[in-house]
Amino acid sequence: MPIRAPYAAGEYRPRPAAGAGSRAARRRIVGLGVAVVVAAALLSALPLVERFDLFLLDSEFALLRDVAPKPVVADVVVVGIDEATLDAFPEPFALWHEPLAEVFAGLAAASPRAVGVDVALPERSYDAVRPGLDRALAAGILALRNAAPLVLAITVDAGGRPKPLHAPFRALAGPDGTGFALWAFDADGRVRRFDERLGEAGRPLPTLVGTVARRLGREPGVGIVDYAVGPRFGYVPAQRVRQWQREGDTAALAAAFGDRVVLVGGVLPFIDRFAQPVNLAGWEDEGGQTPGVLLHAQALRSVLGAGLVSASPPLVPALLAALGGLLWFAGARFSVAAPAVALTWLGALAGSVLALRSGYAVPVAGLLAASLLAAAARWAYEAWFQRQEQARIKASLSGYLSESVMRLVVEGRLATAVGLRALCVLFSDLRNFTPYSERHPAEHVVALLNRYFERMTAQIHRHDGTVDNFRGDGIMCIFGAPKPSADPCRDGFGAATGMIEALRVLNDELAAEGVAPLAMGLSLAFGDAVVGPLGSSTRHVYSAIGDIVNVAARIEGLTKALGYPLLVDEAVARALAADATFDDLGPQELKGHTPVRIYGWPARAAAAPADGRGERDANLA
């Protein structure tokens, strides 16, 4: 059996012609690795990866809020319009001029730092409904404007068109006293980013949050709202503010709103709600949507504090994903790839959380996905290559090994170290084939020999034999190596008798074709021999060397003279005494060897008297 590479003791490691260690294979792996890195960089642009990044960002914000929330630098207080407010202010909302005026007056008395009103104030005059309504609300707006920077919200309709604000109210707020209550939504419909470029073609629009920040001397910029700042919000009901104002409780008003940024807005269950990355409402369970006024409040916490979280430049996700693609080069072995992927994920997630804590959002979803996919792709490639290599080995060695032995070779479980093994050696040879060879063209001779060898080899492999070599029209094979056998003699005898029957079938076919039948002699001998890869470092064969090999070869040469198709030595006859009957032919002279006791099969003395059988059995005992 040709051996393609040196072996360590106890294992089989075939080296392919252009295998894993070859220059061509290395170039192929590097080329595929470059392709994987490029594909990984492109992977970061997939919507699914973007969604994964958003999920990670939300999870990191939630983790920081629970474990290490950032301190609040600029406190924001919410005056909420809730269901109790609706009960306390029984008029339709469009006629809330007087209650809102009282709330505004109460806030003005508290001297807040700034006030933002996230309420859709009347679009027109309602004095025709009740005289004095416009004046009352105008007085409240004026009082609040005189007490602190005031910004009124401008809302939009379903078509994105700004809803008008009654001109006197807009004028009282001042030229920088209004801002759009608008948000930029991410792909999943949640609000995370603050960006005033919300107009047509990216035209900037003054927002409620941005205008309040500028009135307080801070340019909001563009970034991600820092949801890790501060605890969840509570709110002061609007009707309570009105009650404090009516009661003249300036102490309560000052304690609640003095020198603080105040936002007035609805906190009703189903109105003006937005999907939230984290739950901002302290009075509600986790999940769902949050009142819009709380998003404004959290954005102001960020802008007026350490600032918005900086988003990574567009190229960063691609670079990180490409970095993850480099795990292709670590994925050849699962024992290396799995820890590499685990460390990559752990490091990326920990680094992302720390970066977010410092005010930077690092999108690592592409890195995580690419590292996993790259390592899996390399492992899959190696598995595919291994299957191809196994198929190549199987194809190249199938003529030498049986299917069961081949399986051990392909799986790398076949011990091939040079050593002493107990073997049954089989020799076969065609009789009188030389005259046929002289009378027929060489191609006819080769075709017949291959036809014959095909039948014989099938029987050898059927009994787990290993073909050592073909010698002209002869065959040498061994049983018991490289695959160990519990009974090499039984395997060898099964192969020999199968070969005899296979030749009979072949001769029937040849007779029908007008070709003279073939005659074959076989021998079996059992004993110890050295087996393993023999030869030079560049060319070697798997073979057996020992006296038992010579004995088997010499015994086969006696088959014609003794008139038996199969001759065996005494060791084989003893091993098969319970299963087969042999004729004891006594010691026979072997060329270049001491006489060896020989047995013939099939036994011609099978019908001899019992005492004859007993004498024969005694010879085997």
Side-chain angles (χ1 to χ4, degrees):
M1 180 180 78
I3 304 298
R4 304 183 66 89
Y7 305 92
E11 62 179 349
Y12 180 83
R13 293 182 180 176
R15 179 181 299 166
S22 72
R23 183 177 300 176
R26 287 194 295 270
R27 286 198 301 266
R28 182 169 59 249
I29 289 173
V30 170
L32 290 173
V34 171
V36 167
V37 170
V38 173
L42 298 176
L43 178 72
S44 64
L46 294 179
L48 184 61
V49 175
E50 181 183 357
R51 292 292 186 95
F52 188 25
D53 260 324
L54 296 177
F55 167 78
L56 291 176
L57 181 62
D58 293 350
S59 301
E60 291 166 2
F61 273 134
L63 176 65
L64 289 175
R65 288 178 70 89
D66 292 339
V67 177
K70 295 183 182 180
V72 176
V73 176
D75 198 8
V76 179
V77 181
V78 174
V79 174
I81 297 174
D82 58 12
E83 292 175 310
T85 306
L86 300 181
D87 294 336
F89 301 168
E91 302 91 344
F93 177 76
L95 302 179
W96 275 19
H97 297 63
E98 292 174 346
L100 288 177
E102 291 182 279
V103 171
F104 291 168
L107 293 177
S111 300
R113 186 179 175 188
V115 177
V117 179
D118 184 26
V119 175
L121 295 181
E123 303 175 7
R124 59 180 180 83
S125 172
Y126 281 86
D127 275 359
V129 177
R130 183 189 302 171
L133 288 181
D134 290 353
R135 179 178 297 180
L137 183 54
I141 293 174
L142 183 60
L144 197 50
R145 176 189 172 184
N146 291 334
L150 171 65
V151 180
L152 303 180
I154 302 296
T155 59
V156 297
D157 59 21
R161 295 178 294 272
K163 293 182 178 180
L165 176 63
H166 191 37
F169 301 155
R170 190 182 194 110
L172 287 172
D176 54 356
T178 58
F180 285 92
L182 295 176
W183 289 103
F185 293 92
D186 284 328
D188 60 354
R190 295 188 176 188
V191 177
R192 298 178 182 84
R193 295 175 293 115
F194 179 84
D195 190 346
E196 291 190 309
R197 294 171 296 185
L198 300 173
E200 294 182 1
R203 179 173 59 87
L205 295 176
T207 64
L208 176 64
V209 170
T211 303
V212 170
R214 281 186 286 269
R215 296 287 298 275
L216 295 176
R218 295 292 295 270
E219 185 62 37
V222 176
I224 299 172
V225 176
D226 195 342
Y227 285 95
V229 175
R232 293 194 289 173
F233 288 97
Y235 69 90
V236 179
Q239 67 273 16
R240 184 176 301 169
V241 178
R242 186 181 70 165
Q243 180 181 352
W244 288 339
Q245 168 63 13
R246 285 182 173 183
E247 294 173 351
D249 194 346
T250 56
L253 291 168
F257 310 114
D259 199 30
R260 297 181 182 181
V261 176
V262 180
L263 291 181
V264 181
V267 293
L268 294 166
F270 306 108
I271 300 176
D272 193 29
R273 292 264 172 162
F274 297 89
Q276 56 185 348
V278 298
N279 183 26
L280 296 175
W283 64 92
E284 295 179 347
D285 294 333
E286 293 287 339
Q289 296 183 325
T290 194
V293 67
L294 298 190
L295 294 177
H296 294 299
Q298 189 67 27
L300 282 171
R301 274 181 174 178
S302 303
V303 171
L304 300 177
L308 298 168
V309 174
S310 298
S312 297
L315 192 59
V316 170
L319 292 177
L320 290 176
L323 183 63
L326 292 177
L327 262 71
W328 162 270
F329 297 99
R333 295 183 179 180
F334 182 80
S335 59
V336 176
V341 171
L343 290 175
T344 299
W345 277 56
L346 181 62
L349 291 174
S352 180
V353 171
L354 292 176
L356 188 61
R357 186 73 172 79
S358 301
Y360 298 93
V362 180
V364 296
L367 169 62
L368 300 182
S371 64
L372 181 61
L373 293 177
R378 179 63 187 277
W379 182 85
Y381 168 80
E382 292 295 330
W384 171 85
F385 183 84
Q386 184 64 24
R387 285 196 298 270
Q388 297 297 311
E389 174 63 4
Q390 290 174 352
R392 190 195 63 79
I393 294 171
K394 187 172 182 179
S396 63
L397 301 182
S398 60
Y400 299 91
L401 303 176
S402 66
E403 183 65 28
S404 58
V405 175
M406 177 65 66
R407 189 178 302 111
L408 294 178
V409 172
V410 170
E411 294 174 357
R413 297 188 291 114
L414 190 61
T416 58
V418 175
L420 194 64
R421 300 283 285 274
L423 304 177
C424 182
V425 182
L426 180 150
F427 272 84
S428 73
D429 192 52
L430 288 178
R431 299 173 185 169
N432 301 321
F433 193 71
T434 300
Y436 179 90
S437 302
E438 295 174 349
R439 296 191 306 268
H440 294 82
E443 58 269 23
H444 291 182
V445 174
V446 172
L448 180 58
L449 277 177
N450 284 340
R451 190 173 174 185
Y452 160 77
F453 286 144
E454 185 75 23
R455 308 294 180 90
M456 301 304 109
T457 303
Q459 295 300 319
I460 294 169
H461 287 174
R462 180 182 176 188
H463 294 86
D464 291 337
T466 299
V467 175
D468 185 289
N469 61 73
F470 297 100
R471 300 180 180 181
D473 56 9
I475 304 172
M476 172 188 169
C477 64
I478 58 177
F479 299 85
K483 180 184 179 182
S485 171
D487 195 342
C489 293
R490 186 184 300 276
D491 293 337
F493 183 70
T497 55
M499 291 167 71
I500 292 172
E501 175 60 21
L503 182 61
R504 184 192 66 78
V505 175
L506 177 59
N507 280 334
D508 290 343
E509 296 175 5
L510 294 176
E513 299 168 8
V515 179
L518 301 176
M520 176 179 62
L522 299 105
S523 66
L524 292 172
F526 178 74
D528 292 335
V530 174
V531 295
L534 305 176
S536 69
S537 60
T538 57
R539 177 70 172 92
H540 34 232
V541 296
Y542 187 91
S543 185
I545 294 179
D547 181 63
I548 195 62
V549 177
N550 297 327
V551 169
R554 299 294 186 268
I555 292 176
E556 190 280 323
L558 298 176
T559 55
K560 182 177 180 181
L562 296 178
Y564 285 85
L566 173 61
L567 297 177
V568 303
D569 71 353
E570 187 171 7
V572 174
R574 288 179 181 277
L576 299 173
D579 303 308
T581 302
F582 297 91
D583 284 338
D584 183 354
L585 305 179
Q588 300 290 326
E589 294 288 340
L590 301 181
K591 183 179 179 180
H593 197 277
T594 57
V596 173
R597 197 176 192 92
I598 303 298
Y599 295 81
W601 186 93
R604 298 170 184 171
D611 56 352
R613 289 197 301 273
E615 180 182 354
R616 182 170 61 253
D617 292 341
N619 292 331
L620 297 176

